[in-house]
């Protein structure tokens, strides 16, 4: 079955360490997105990519980096520059001729 | 993208219709109304979208007022599994007329379906 996979589901890191969250999709979607969600809050857009080797900053890109070397993959690196990295991270993808996004099941990152 | 306003929370009895309102008074002519829902600790799920006509699918119905300044998502026979946060989002077309445009999520409405 086609879908979007995020791994791992739970991730713990020490403060000051960079960490990379994986997002893979086999839906043949062109666009991919990363969102962050804090407790009791809505989703905020970090980065998005409409095509391979191209991506744009979202509303809260500081302290994050991404790459889009393959259509299927859009990894997110949370760097030590991100002041409050503990959050629930969601990856999504979409295709041009459809309106709905498909979301992954998320990665819950805890920095201690 | 136009801003939306939704009630913070709503209750509904199981088996009854759940009617979730959304105000989007600053919507422009080329902006769509989208509804997503998020069950606790999961990724959001697309429900339905519309431009100006009412829409219905296997999950829900979307009623958009004639002036497009508000809409209502209707779950015709709510079940306990429909308990979730429901997001109303207004979004225009992306660059080049694609549907890539960013989705901006607000706080949504917490719908609680009780027995």
């Amino acid at each position: 079955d086609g879908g979007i996979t995020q791994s791992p589901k739970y991730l713990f890191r020490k403060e000051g360490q960079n960490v990379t969250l994986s997002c893979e999709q086999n839906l043949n979607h062109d666009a991919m997105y990363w969102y962050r969600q804090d407790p009791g809050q809505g989703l905020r857009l970090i980065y998005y990519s409409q095509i391979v080797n191209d991506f744009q900053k979202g509303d809260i890109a500081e302290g994050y980096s991404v790459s889009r070397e393959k259509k299927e993959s859009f990894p997110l690196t949370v760097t030590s520059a991100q002041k409050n990295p503990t959050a629930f991270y969601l990856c999504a993808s979409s295709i041009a001729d459809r309106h709905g996004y498909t979301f992954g099941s998320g990665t819950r990152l805890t920095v201690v | 993208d136009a801003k939306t306003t939704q009630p913070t929370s709503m209750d509904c009895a199981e088996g009854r219709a759940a009617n979730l309102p959304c105000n989007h008074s600053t919507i422009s002519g080329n902006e769509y109304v989208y509804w997503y829902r998020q069950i606790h600790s999961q990724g959001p799920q697309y429900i339905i979208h519309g431009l100006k006509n009412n829409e219905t699918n296997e999950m829900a119905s979307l009623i958009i007022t004639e002036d497009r300044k508000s809409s209502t998502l209707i779950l015709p026979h709510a079940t306990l599994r429909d308990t979730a946060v429901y997001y109303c989002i207004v979004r225009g077309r992306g660059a080049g007329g694609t549907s890539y445009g960013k989705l901006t999520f607000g706080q949504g409405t917490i719908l609680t379906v009780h027995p």
Side-chain angles (χ1 to χ4, degrees), chain A residues 3-38:
Chain A
I4 184 165
T5 302
Q6 291 186 244
S7 61
K9 191 172 180 65
Y10 298 95
L11 189 56
F12 295 88
R13 278 295 181 269
K14 291 185 177 180
E15 192 172 348
Q17 288 183 334
N18 291 354
V19 60
T20 297
L21 282 60
S22 170
C23 179
E24 303 277 334
Q25 54 98 0
N26 61 2
L27 300 164
N28 200 33
H29 286 178
D30 295 301
M32 297 186 73
Y33 313 81
W34 274 106
Y35 286 86
R36 167 185 173 137
Q37 187 173 35
D38 294 287

Side-chain angles (χ1 to χ4, degrees), chain B residues 60-98:
Chain B
S61 294
L62 174 60
I63 308 297
I64 301 174
T65 58
E66 192 169 344
D67 63 7
R68 302 187 69 240
K69 293 184 177 181
S70 66
S71 60
T72 301
L73 178 75
I74 301 172
L75 307 179
H77 305 286
T79 71
L80 299 179
R81 285 178 295 209
D82 290 324
T83 293
V85 179
Y86 286 77
Y87 296 100
C88 171
I89 301 163
V90 172
R91 189 192 79 178
R93 301 290 275 178
T98 68

Side-chain angles (χ1 to χ4, degrees), chain A residues 18-85:
Chain A
N18 291 354
V19 60
T20 297
L21 282 60
S22 170
C23 179
E24 303 277 334
Q25 54 98 0
N26 61 2
L27 300 164
N28 200 33
H29 286 178
D30 295 301
M32 297 186 73
Y33 313 81
W34 274 106
Y35 286 86
R36 167 185 173 137
Q37 187 173 35
D38 294 287
Q41 303 296 314
L43 283 68
R44 292 184 290 169
L45 182 65
I46 304 172
Y47 268 99
Y48 65 103
S49 168
Q50 297 182 349
I51 195 169
V52 173
N53 293 324
D54 187 47
F55 47 82
Q56 287 79 40
K57 293 182 179 180
D59 301 318
I60 54 165
E62 184 175 353
Y64 300 97
S65 66
V66 293
S67 63
R68 186 87 187 277
E69 298 176 1
K70 298 187 300 181
K71 187 176 185 178
E72 302 79 16
S73 179
F74 191 41
L76 173 75
T77 296
V78 184
T79 74
S80 57
Q82 168 51 233
K83 301 301 180 190
N84 297 294

Side-chain angles (χ1 to χ4, degrees), chain B residues 8-56:
Chain B
T8 302
S9 63
M10 296 183 65
D11 288 336
C12 178
E14 189 177 19
R16 304 296 294 268
N19 298 288
L20 291 87
C22 179
N23 285 321
H24 31 80
S25 58
T26 59
I27 192 170
S28 62
N30 65 347
E31 289 183 314
Y32 289 78
V33 179
Y34 293 80
W35 283 84
Y36 283 76
R37 73 179 182 185
Q38 186 178 24
I39 296 170
H40 182 63
S41 294
Q42 297 183 23
Q45 176 190 23
Y46 165 82
I47 302 173
I48 199 168
H49 76 277
L51 184 61
K52 50 187 173 182
N53 297 322
N54 297 339
E55 302 288 346
T56 296

